[in-house]
Amino acid sequence: QRGWAAWYVPCLASLETLQELCRKENLRCKSIGITNRSLKSYEVEYLCDYKVEEGTEYYLVKWKGWPESSNTWEPQKNLKCPLALQNFLSDKNEYLSRVREGKALKVRNHVKALKPAVADYIVKKAKQRIALQRWKEELNRKKNHKAMILVENTVDLEGPPLDFYYINEYKPAPGINVINGITTGCECADCPAEKCCPKEAGFILAYNKKKKLKIQPGLPIYECNSFCRCGPDCPNRIVQKGTPYSLCIFRTNNGRGWGVKTLQKIKMNSFVMEYVGEVITSEEAERRGQFYDNQGNTYLFDLDYDSDEFTVDAARYGNVSHFVNHSCDPNLQVFNVFIDNLDLRLPRIALFSTRTIKAGEELTFDYQMKGSIDLTSDSADGLSPSRKRIRTVCKCGAVCCRGYLN
């Protein structure tokens, strides 16, 4: 009706899931592609099972957009899905290599059938592959930088985290203002000049002519802000442009949960990513920390550059940095950054490379480094403010490993 605003709520279900529901209930919905014509269209989503009957090879097919009750056995000669066949065989061989079973088939009623445990694993792996692909697409839709985010799990059947929401910047709790209403910027025609932002704050410019960090850890970074005269190519605008490298969230094989590796070479003293999450008071952080301890996971990062009034909680809301693991010999270092908010209690947290990092190498930082946090969960996925707690064994594997994370 005229005068009424239209509200749109994003659907958390995938298109294929919605199509499955419609077909299961025998409903038509043109907007998601369920019409009388599409009811006759079939595309292989993945293969579930295998058997040999009277010399003919058959595969049990899960059809894309159809409920599992519509799965059918199809002879291999009719299938035009080389990737699905490749994934099926790869998953079967992976399972057999792990359980050390040489034979995947057994004879039942003169039919060579795949063992149920093998078929179950193959289906779970196929569903995981689809879920991780959808998660990757979601992450890349939500990010605000050009570099890609990939997702990889060749270790176990763990899928995307159920209660994690990707954000690009701080999500302040009610009553906390992370933008302090700055209304002035530098007048430089060519930064840095005499009265550029860092010098106005009493510090030197953080970057050299190659846009690499030149200051020591512990010193703040003051970047040009939205009111500065300089343009987007200003050499003092680095962190605010977001992650410049394509990164991969991957499952670690030594019990540290998810980790992050770079897909590109990163030079020393380069900006890699920002640590973001909910900004809460330290009192609220203490309350949440006690709750998180019982779960074994916390991601609390104290903003203690000038005071310990606020904390960043990346447990539910965060970016790729949520998945970065600890190391006693890290390749990333924490720096405090001020751009559109000059409140010393609320710095932005940026991670810079401490050395050259090769493509494919895992990214790590020391949770106990100055300006950082302490880990107290029983996995390497958690961050928390320092408290007296049970000491957690470190699994970073570094030669100089301290043995404990806290």
Side-chain angles (χ1 to χ4, degrees), residues 250-308:
F250 75 104
R251 196 72 177 167
T252 62
N253 59 8
N254 59 353
R256 292 177 300 129
W258 294 100
V260 179
K261 60 184 175 183
T262 176
L263 300 176
Q264 300 172 253
K265 178 182 177 181
I266 300 175
K267 293 183 179 180
M268 182 177 178
N269 295 329
S270 298
F271 168 65
V272 179
M273 69 180 75
E274 192 172 350
Y275 191 93
V276 301
E278 290 182 89
V279 178
I280 58 177
T281 63
S282 293
E283 289 79 9
E284 172 64 11
E286 187 70 29
R287 187 190 69 78
R288 291 190 188 187
Q290 293 173 5
F291 172 74
Y292 291 153
D293 285 348
N294 295 328
Q295 294 184 320
N297 283 316
T298 59
Y299 297 77
L300 298 172
F301 194 130
D302 291 336
L303 298 178
D304 56 2
Y305 172 70
D306 185 62
S307 67
D308 58 358

Side-chain angles (χ1 to χ4, degrees), residues 173-184:
I176 299 176
N177 182 19
V178 296
I179 301 294
N180 70 349
I182 188 171
T183 57
T184 59

Side-chain angles (χ1 to χ4, degrees), residues 82-100:
L83 182 58
L85 281 165
Q86 179 183 327
N87 287 334
F88 182 91
L89 295 173
S90 174
D91 294 341
K92 182 193 74 172
N93 293 334
E94 181 183 318
Y95 177 86
L96 294 176
S97 67
R98 288 183 179 180
V99 298
R100 295 181 180 178

Side-chain angles (χ1 to χ4, degrees), residues 98-110:
R98 288 183 179 180
V99 298
R100 295 181 180 178
E101 290 185 11
K103 296 181 180 179
L105 296 172
K106 62 180 180 180
V107 178
R108 292 184 303 190
N109 300 326
H110 306 291

Side-chain angles (χ1 to χ4, degrees), residues 9-245:
V9 178
C11 184
L12 298 179
S14 68
L15 176 64
E16 289 79 14
T17 301
L18 293 174
Q19 290 175 337
E20 288 176 20
L21 291 171
C22 282
R23 283 170 169 143
K24 193 173 184 179
E25 299 298 327
N26 198 28
L27 299 173
R28 307 292 186 273
C29 182
K30 188 176 180 180
S31 62
I32 62 170
I34 301 298
T35 61
N36 287 330
R37 177 180 294 182
S38 70
L39 288 177
K40 297 179 181 179
S41 63
Y42 293 89
E43 179 186 347
V44 176
E45 186 169 23
Y46 56 87
L47 303 175
C48 310
D49 206 343
Y50 170 84
K51 67 180 180 180
V52 181
E53 191 170 351
E54 295 182 358
T56 301
E57 294 181 286
Y58 292 89
Y59 286 89
L60 183 61
V61 178
K62 166 65 172 70
W63 300 105
K64 193 171 185 180
W66 290 83
E68 291 183 3
S69 58
S70 300
N71 291 2
T72 58
W73 285 97
E74 302 292 336
Q76 181 178 349
K77 63 180 181 179
N78 291 355
L79 297 178
K80 307 268 191 301
C81 52
L83 182 58
L85 281 165
Q86 179 183 327
N87 287 334
F88 182 91
L89 295 173
S90 174
D91 294 341
K92 182 193 74 172
N93 293 334
E94 181 183 318
Y95 177 86
L96 294 176
S97 67
R98 288 183 179 180
V99 298
R100 295 181 180 178
E101 290 185 11
K103 296 181 180 179
L105 296 172
K106 62 180 180 180
V107 178
R108 292 184 303 190
N109 300 326
H110 306 291
V111 176
K112 286 185 179 179
L114 204 61
K115 291 182 178 180
V118 183
D120 181 62
Y121 176 82
I122 289 171
V123 171
K124 287 179 179 177
K125 198 67 182 174
K127 289 181 176 180
Q128 178 203 48
R129 189 178 289 111
I130 292 169
L132 292 179
Q133 174 65 22
R134 288 174 181 163
W135 186 38
K136 185 193 82 170
E137 292 169 356
E138 177 191 347
L139 295 176
N140 283 283
R141 279 196 308 270
K142 291 182 175 179
K143 68 176 174 61
N144 64 353
H145 52 84
K146 293 181 181 179
M148 292 294 294
I149 302 173
L150 275 70
V151 178
E152 176 186 287
N153 185 353
T154 60
V155 175
D156 54 31
L157 292 169
E158 187 74 16
L162 296 176
D163 195 26
F164 174 74
Y165 306 93
Y166 193 93
I167 58 175
N168 293 294
E169 55 191 22
Y170 282 161
K171 177 182 174 63
I176 299 176
N177 182 19
V178 296
I179 301 294
N180 70 349
I182 188 171
T183 57
T184 59
C186 70
E187 296 294 326
C188 310
D190 185 20
C191 298
E194 280 301 314
K195 293 197 174 183
C196 198
C197 298
K199 293 182 180 179
E200 284 289 293
F203 295 92
I204 63 170
L205 181 73
Y207 311 112
N208 61 23
K209 292 181 180 179
K210 295 183 178 179
K211 299 184 179 182
K212 298 293 183 289
L213 202 66
K214 67 177 184 181
I215 62 172
Q216 295 298 312
L219 291 176
I221 297 172
Y222 282 86
E223 290 196 358
C224 292
N225 60 57
S226 55
F227 286 91
C228 292
R229 184 179 174 184
C230 53
D233 294 327
C234 167
N236 194 33
R237 296 182 185 272
I238 303 295
V239 172
Q240 60 194 264
K241 290 184 177 181
T243 301
Y245 304 101

Side-chain angles (χ1 to χ4, degrees), residues 320-332:
V320 175
S321 64
H322 167 101
F323 302 97
V324 175
N325 280 315
H326 161 86
S327 175
C328 297
D329 183 22
N331 50 28
L332 300 179

